[in-house]
Amino acid sequence: MPFNSNWSVRGSLAALALGGMAAASPVLAEDIRVLSSFDTSQLPTYSVLQQYMNNVAEIGEGDVTFTVFGPEAVPIFEQLAPVSTGVFDALYTHPVFHAGDGGLALTVDAIDVDPIARRESGVWEYVDQFYQETHDLKMVAMMSVSMEGYHLFTKEPLSESGDLAGRKVRGTPTYFGVIEALGAEPVVLPGSEIYSALQTGIVEGAGWPAAGMVSMKHYEVANYRLRPTFGAATQPVFINLDVWNGLSAEVQDILLEAGELTELQMPWIGNAIQAEEDAKLTELDVMTVVRVAVRP
């Protein structure tokens, strides 16, 4: 602003001081519109996004905020394109929901839950580069729900042969190998439809992350959960590449630092959530654990 000779000396000095402070500490004030494949009814999985947002808020001291839109806004299998094209700024999802469009991050579900090794080995960087080049998305976090991965749960116990032969079991490609190895037929449905599909008999079992039966009330329509668990539920956060490039370096650093921190935290947070859920289901006395061994 040009110097005004009518200002008092005190006013001029104050203005200069404030201008210097503003230049040294720019206001970030970014609100990121996130499309999420999960809502709060799917609490253990949604808690990953919540932990990430909490870390962003703490690291960024509140200057970066999020507005979250759930699967009611866009169905889970159709969410990649609206973020790639910039209708939404960011995406929190599981890569199996866009497997047919090049869901490379899905392969990480077959890798041990070790966030440090995933970065040091180059896996994290390779997945990030793939999504930038293929989907115009920048990956800022690749988090695990817990160290337990996935499981199947059913309305009825295993057959006398120890399998699920002839039954229909809800799943996505994440679960196909295990479902088919047990002799069942996979049926692809959104997670939000599992309860009603079990209730009406469309399916007789379902695959889902190992925690979630309590928050989604699956125990009301399925009496058996199969063990051991398998795989590693990996949940990335992507930012539209144009949006990412338009962010200040300070905001980018906040988003990346929060991602790395959340990756380190979630296996242990998720394990605690899993233990709490297992104890709750035991307390309710509504589930029977059936141990099964399935070759990959």
Side-chain angles (χ1 to χ4, degrees):
M1 179 178 294
F3 178 73
N4 188 329
S5 59
N6 294 325
W7 287 0
S8 68
V9 172
R10 180 178 297 178
S12 299
L13 291 174
L16 288 171
L18 289 172
M21 290 173 61
S25 303
V27 177
L28 305 178
E30 292 286 351
D31 183 73
I32 296 173
R33 302 169 72 250
V34 183
L35 183 58
S36 173
S37 297
F38 309 92
D39 57 29
T40 54
S41 70
Q42 301 156 332
L43 191 56
T45 308
Y46 187 83
S47 67
V48 181
L49 175 61
Q50 188 63 62
Q51 184 65 25
Y52 176 72
M53 294 191 295
N54 290 346
N55 286 335
V56 169
E58 183 173 351
I59 294 169
E61 299 181 347
D63 287 326
V64 183
T65 59
F66 297 90
T67 300
V68 181
F69 300 84
E72 76 284 351
V74 180
I76 59 173
F77 297 109
E78 302 172 15
Q79 291 183 336
L80 189 70
V83 182
S84 291
T85 56
V87 177
F88 295 89
D89 301 327
L91 175 64
Y92 170 64
T93 189
H94 189 283
V96 74
F97 298 145
H98 59 267
D101 297 317
L104 179 67
L106 178 60
T107 61
V108 183
D109 276 3
I111 301 174
D112 289 342
V113 179
D114 186 337
I116 295 175
R118 290 178 179 182
R119 284 178 174 264
E120 291 182 347
S121 66
V123 168
W124 199 102
E125 183 180 1
Y126 187 87
V127 173
D128 174 32
Q129 194 62 37
F130 173 86
Y131 277 88
Q132 289 191 48
E133 295 174 355
T134 308
H135 298 299
D136 292 323
L137 298 174
K138 164 66 181 174
M139 189 170 72
V140 295
M142 188 168 64
M143 307 160 294
S144 296
V145 176
S146 74
M147 298 183 75
E148 291 297 324
Y150 305 98
H151 73 154
L152 303 183
F153 49 87
T154 62
K155 298 175 71 172
E156 301 295 337
L158 296 176
S159 69
E160 293 183 0
S161 301
D163 60 23
L164 297 172
R167 305 187 206 183
K168 294 183 178 180
V169 176
R170 179 269 174 190
T172 57
T174 296
Y175 309 94
F176 283 2
V178 175
I179 291 172
E180 292 170 348
L182 289 169
E185 176 187 348
V187 177
V188 177
L189 293 170
S192 59
E193 297 180 17
I194 290 175
Y195 187 102
S196 61
L198 285 164
Q199 189 176 43
T200 58
I202 293 174
V203 296
E204 296 154 281
W208 193 249
M213 293 193 73
V214 171
S215 66
M216 298 184 74
K217 300 187 182 299
H218 290 150
Y219 63 87
E220 295 180 350
V221 288
N223 299 315
Y224 300 88
R225 49 187 171 145
L226 280 56
R227 289 296 186 271
T229 58
F230 55 93
T234 306
Q235 312 287 141
V237 174
F238 299 108
I239 306 285
N240 173 277
L241 196 54
D242 287 337
V243 172
W244 173 259
N245 290 331
L247 297 174
S248 68
E250 292 87 349
V251 172
Q252 291 180 351
D253 287 344
I254 290 167
L255 295 174
L256 290 172
E257 184 179 343
E260 187 168 4
L261 176 60
T262 312
E263 290 169 15
L264 293 170
Q265 293 172 327
M266 275 314 304
W268 315 111
I269 294 173
N271 284 355
I273 292 172
Q274 181 73 60
E276 183 178 349
E277 171 155 314
D278 288 343
K280 179 65 174 178
L281 291 172
T282 299
E283 176 186 329
L284 292 171
D285 196 27
V286 293
M287 301 298 298
T288 298
V289 176
V290 180
R291 296 198 176 275
V292 295
V294 178
R295 293 182 179 179

